[in-house]
Amino acid sequence: MASRSHGNLLGLVSGDILDIPCTPRNLPRVMTVPGIISDMEGRESSDEDVGAPVVRERKIIVANMLPVNASKDSETGKWCFTLDEDSILLQLKNGLAPNTEVIYIGSLKVDIDTNEQDEVSQRLLKEFKCVPTFLPQELQKNYYHGYCKQYLWPLFHYMLPMCPDHGDRFDRSLWQTYVSANKIFADKVMEVINPEDDYVWVHDYHLMVLPTFLRKRFYRVKLGFFLHSPFPSSEIYRTLPVRDEILRGLLNCDLVGFHTFDYARHFLSCCSRMLGLDYASKRGHIGLDYFGRTVYIKILPIGIHLGHITSVLDLPCTSVKAKEVQEQYKGKKVIVGIDDMDIFKGISLKMLAVEHLLRQNPEFLGKLVLIQIINPARSSGKDVQETQRETYLIAKRINETYGSTDYKPIVIIDRPVPRFEKSAYYAVAECCLVNAVRDGMNLVPYKYIVCRQGTPALDEALGIKPDTPHTSMLVVSEFIGCSPSLSGAIRVNPWDMDAVAEALNLALTMPITEKQLRHEKHYKYVSSHDVAYWAKSFVQDLERACQNHYDKRCWGFGLGLSFRIVSLSPSFRKLNVDYIVSAYRRTSRRLIFLDYDGTLVSQSGMNKCPSPEVISVLNALCNDPKNTVFIVSGRGRNQLGEWLSPCQLLGIAAEHGYFLRWNKAADWECNTAELDWKEIVEPIMRSYTEATDGSSIEPKESGLVWHHQDADPDFGSWQAMELMDHLENVLANEPAAVTRGHNIVEVKPQGVSKGLVVEKVISMLTDDGKPDFLMCIGDDRSDEDMFESLLKSSTPSSAKLSEILCCTVGQKPSKAKYYLDDTTDVLRLLCGIAAASSNQKPRYNSHAQVSFESTF
């Protein structure tokens, strides 16, 4: 039966709410029947319409603000809308395929009365492909001006709210408004999305939990996120009380983008330290393994729209203004700065550096001018007011000290400045100074370079001959996102005013040929890495990240913002107790392999001794004459022998099979491998232990293990990689193998593995005793060798084998075809088959307390 999905927008578009003329066929697609997309031309769709899906590629761009300017005509009272040509969201369309349909979802910059919202929504959807999210005024205030700008934005720029004068402290109610706003944005996406075909691209820190809502609704939604602000180091980020919720929100995406490697590195470090996730480079792409899904990390700074800036430079008003500025500051060296009025742009530090330059170099007096254009502040708080007051006080003092009646070294332009006027100042300035103490990207240097390249019309107005080489000089803070991409710029520490002043002096006195070479290098980069290149590259990586969505089965679990998807092979499923008991009863010779840590006993507990319930169920299984049961572990034989001594008939393979015995009465069989290499390994491990706080060495009879689970996660992993590389080099000609496990580096003899234990036990059974039931349960990487060896047994020559059951503990990628959730599940399963052996049903409760009759 056909159903109408997400009726708010559908009802609006189809005219069910307001008496509005039918919308044209080029409206975004709306789902009417699962998997079938129609254009919804009129109030009702014909069968022919429903059966003809639209194949046009579509991208849904979600951001806090729509790329639309809105104003109300004072005479008619009607709303007027125009596209915001300066919006990155609008400009990125140049990087998408020509046939791509783009839908924008976000808020307007003005408040719309409730009774006008339906009409405005209809107009924006029809004329601009925009879907507005009308947040209630109080919610908008608390979400954007409260949580985003007063808490999250300062924190991401490394400012902790140590006192009320430096940012607001965490407020749980404001966090709830942030979540509520994100939910509204997500609902709007759900109204228009076709989850099987559309790609969703979410932008910036305002919407970091939105991906969780979308992933919870559509398990296979194609979802990308790009952060336009810095991502702070883990020392800063970990102070956020809702740190896990935000990290999990981003990890519910398929691709997460950052401007610089530093930002990506901080994000990965937070995922490692706070969520225990591993990451690795996979064929040039960084990937995080998150419950069977690979979340890819994209590192690419955004660019500018070259054509847009060039078109402004060609405007007659730009040439007129540039000529005017040139005449006004004739004979002077002009430094330009264009910044928002906020605490992180370093405007006052910039002026102090100019003051220092004038003090140290009197020859610049009367010949140097800093023109500082200040954009309107994006938020209104005490910190902005203080920054503004400080800026004017410093400028006034410098002008009074070093200026005169006809000369001011600091010129502040604090008003809305049109694009053509900014371009004129860029074109005339000999140097551009960007001195922010922290900024996500900052495109001012890119715009400056393009304006200095000029156009024929602008060059003619400024009196520049056609064959004259263009020059530009950049002095940029090392703490802004564009700094790494500008290799010819002079990078400075904005807090070091001496260094900034020296850099300005160098930029202004540099030979013309050097300025030309630096400009050419920068212009080549900026013109080739524009906003279209950025968008195209991100979308290509997003498509690649989503290409295997339907190759795996997905399960959702977790409540609220802890929701995530487990993505596993289609053949990977939970091992059913009833199924295995049925197979168990049908067989007459059974071979069971069990790992110890993480399988029979929990990894998280401090006490690793087996519980009485584990001993009971092992004895029950071993006492069945049809069974052969082995514990296969990396632990030492003495420890295992002591812990499992009540199990008389239990086989044990210790130290990954270096030692093996068939039952308690049997002697230990020992591998004859040479162990002389231990004398080489031990001092190397000892040196790494001394250098890595929290690490330790575990000596074994057959090898050595270096543990770093108690060390700093990043440093421990780094040292483990170094140790592994070191050992592989020195042991290249020794009969030893170096392996990396979870928080360990282990060296053991070659030819020793859990997989070889399985092969040895199977081969030593007599022909009459060949098993027809093989089961193996384990939880870590070493157990994958057992699974692989058992699966090799399922060859045509082993037709007698009726059941081979490989099971991993935990839902994660594995060679096993089955999984159990935890050690409790393992014990429940073993109880089930033990009861089948004894024909008695064991007593078992939810706390894994198992009891068997004394005859066991």
Side-chain angles (χ1 to χ4, degrees), residues 633-638 640 653-660 668-679 681-682 685 697-705 731 735-739 745-754 757:
S633 173
R635 287 190 176 273
R637 59 174 173 173
N638 293 332
L640 289 174
E655 299 191 20
H656 300 292
Y658 187 81
F659 298 103
L660 185 145
W668 286 100
E669 299 175 14
C670 179
N671 192 299
T672 57
E674 295 182 6
L675 301 177
D676 294 342
W677 45 263
K678 290 178 68 175
E679 297 178 1
V681 173
E682 188 171 4
M685 283 191 174
I697 301 174
E698 178 191 356
K700 294 183 177 181
E701 293 183 67
S702 63
L704 294 165
V705 184
L731 298 176
V738 184
T739 59
V745 174
E746 183 170 10
V747 185
K748 58 187 179 182
Q750 288 180 347
V752 173
S753 73
K754 290 186 177 182
V757 172

Side-chain angles (χ1 to χ4, degrees), residues 26-199:
N26 61 357
L27 272 174
R29 298 165 290 171
V30 181
M31 181 176 289
T32 56
V33 179
I36 304 297
I37 307 302
S38 70
D39 287 323
M40 299 302 296
E41 181 174 336
R43 292 177 182 262
E44 294 184 5
S45 300
S46 66
D47 292 340
E48 183 179 1
D49 289 335
V50 174
V54 180
V55 295
R56 189 177 182 187
E57 185 177 334
R58 198 164 72 151
K59 303 291 187 294
I60 299 175
I61 309 296
V62 192
N64 182 48
M65 292 294 175
L66 290 170
V68 172
N69 294 319
S71 61
K72 201 167 191 178
D73 191 301
S74 57
E75 296 181 0
T76 65
K78 296 289 185 180
W79 283 103
C80 301
F81 301 102
T82 57
L83 289 174
D84 183 0
E85 300 293 339
D86 289 333
S87 173
I88 291 294
L89 303 177
L90 191 65
Q91 296 171 1
L92 65 80
K93 290 177 64 175
N94 285 26
L96 307 180
N99 65 334
T100 302
E101 181 183 8
V102 178
I103 302 296
Y104 294 102
I105 295 177
S107 297
L108 289 168
K109 301 169 188 175
V110 295
D111 292 326
I112 306 292
D113 290 339
T114 305
N115 59 358
E116 296 178 297
Q117 290 178 3
D118 290 340
E119 181 181 358
V120 168
S121 296
Q122 190 80 322
R123 284 187 57 194
L124 290 173
L125 188 60
K126 178 179 179 180
E127 298 174 18
F128 302 105
K129 299 296 179 83
C130 291
V131 178
T133 56
F134 297 114
L135 301 182
Q137 191 170 355
E138 188 66 19
L139 178 63
Q140 171 72 22
K141 175 185 175 182
N142 292 329
Y143 149 69
Y144 181 71
H145 295 289
Y147 190 77
C148 287
K149 299 303 292 185
Q150 295 301 317
Y151 185 78
L152 205 55
W153 185 75
L155 184 75
F156 274 42
H157 287 74
Y158 286 73
M159 189 176 80
L160 291 173
M162 302 298 291
C163 62
D165 291 338
H166 293 85
D168 291 346
R169 292 180 178 170
F170 181 80
D171 185 331
R172 181 68 60 174
S173 63
L174 291 181
W175 162 248
Q176 293 298 337
T177 64
Y178 180 84
V179 174
S180 299
N182 275 245
K183 180 64 167 61
I184 293 174
F185 277 82
D187 289 341
K188 287 297 180 181
V189 176
M190 295 175 195
E191 290 178 357
V192 299
I193 190 175
N194 171 22
E196 294 185 358
D197 297 325
D198 296 345
Y199 289 84

Side-chain angles (χ1 to χ4, degrees), residues 337 339-356 359 370 372-374 383-398 410 412 433-437 494-497 500 504:
D339 302 279
D340 295 343
M341 176 55 75
D342 73 50
I343 58 177
F344 298 111
K345 291 300 187 286
I347 299 175
S348 57
L349 293 176
K350 184 187 304 187
M351 295 177 178
L352 292 173
V354 171
E355 179 185 33
H356 191 78
R359 186 187 307 119
L370 169 64
Q372 178 63 55
I373 298 175
I374 299 177
D383 52 354
V384 173
Q385 296 171 8
E386 290 180 355
T387 301
Q388 190 172 27
R389 184 176 61 85
E390 181 188 30
T391 298
Y392 276 95
L393 287 175
I394 292 175
K396 180 181 179 182
R397 176 172 55 79
I398 295 174
I410 305 292
I412 295 179
L433 174 58
V434 181
N435 208 44
V437 297
W495 301 100
D496 187 347
M497 284 171 284
V500 177
L504 288 172

Side-chain angles (χ1 to χ4, degrees), residues 754-767:
K754 290 186 177 182
L756 293 176
V757 172
V758 169
E759 295 176 8
K760 180 178 181 180
V761 170
I762 293 176
S763 67
M764 291 184 68
L765 293 176
T766 63
D767 292 338

Side-chain angles (χ1 to χ4, degrees), residues 471-525:
T471 63
S472 64
M473 280 305 301
L474 284 168
V475 177
V476 300
S477 165
E478 62 190 47
F479 300 119
I480 63 176
C482 67
S483 175
S485 62
L486 297 170
S487 57
I490 303 175
R491 300 190 184 99
V492 294
N493 175 2
W495 301 100
D496 187 347
M497 284 171 284
D498 291 347
V500 177
E502 184 179 343
L504 288 172
N505 185 25
L506 177 62
L508 297 172
T509 59
M510 188 174 289
I512 191 73
T513 53
E514 180 67 15
K515 292 181 180 181
Q516 178 188 349
L517 290 173
R518 291 177 184 239
H519 172 78
E520 289 175 352
K521 185 175 185 179
H522 287 159
Y523 184 74
K524 182 179 180 181
Y525 175 84

